Amino acid sequence: MILFSVRSTLARVLMILGVMLAMFLIAWMALHLSATQLDWVQTARSSTPHFACWRVLLYTLMFAGWAAASRRRPKPEDQQRLKRLGLIGLSSIILVELSRV
């Protein structure tokens, strides 16, 4: 019988390897796209303001959910997780927006 901590560690490692494999497959497929398959980018740029409104709405809802969760006064260890989750979310939003420049 495998201990619970070994099983959870094994599950985490397999999950991380699966995500890495998916990222490499997506990157490999993106490198092999032809110019005709990338024509949709020009048409998508015309609807950029529309998508900006949706992004602002999504970010606002994410912040409201995080603020509501932090107001519930969770246990101290859950507060640390919530702070980390907030920092990860904020840095992800910043990275996504900086990559659009």
Side-chain angles (χ1 to χ4, degrees), residues 12-85:
R12 285 182 184 167
V13 168
L14 289 175
M15 206 166 33
I16 290 170
L17 289 175
V19 168
M20 287 174 57
L21 179 66
M23 289 170 47
F24 285 131
L25 280 173
I26 291 170
W28 181 76
M29 290 177 1
L31 288 174
H32 290 85
L33 288 176
S34 65
T36 56
Q37 293 170 324
L38 294 174
D39 287 341
W40 65 272
V41 175
Q42 296 301 326
T43 58
R45 293 215 185 267
S46 64
S47 60
T48 300
H50 176 72
F51 289 127
C53 294
W54 282 108
R55 281 197 328 268
V56 167
L57 178 65
L58 175 68
Y59 297 155
T60 304
L61 290 175
M62 287 170 53
F63 178 75
W66 180 79
S70 65
R71 269 188 262 125
R72 290 182 50 204
R73 299 199 187 257
K75 293 181 253 178
E77 61 270 5
D78 291 338
Q79 283 180 342
Q80 289 293 349
R81 288 185 192 142
L82 193 58
K83 286 179 185 176
R84 276 187 291 219
L85 183 65

Side-chain angles (χ1 to χ4, degrees), residues 85-96:
L85 183 65
L87 287 173
I88 290 169
L90 181 65
S91 59
S92 299
I93 290 171
I94 290 171
L95 287 174
V96 165

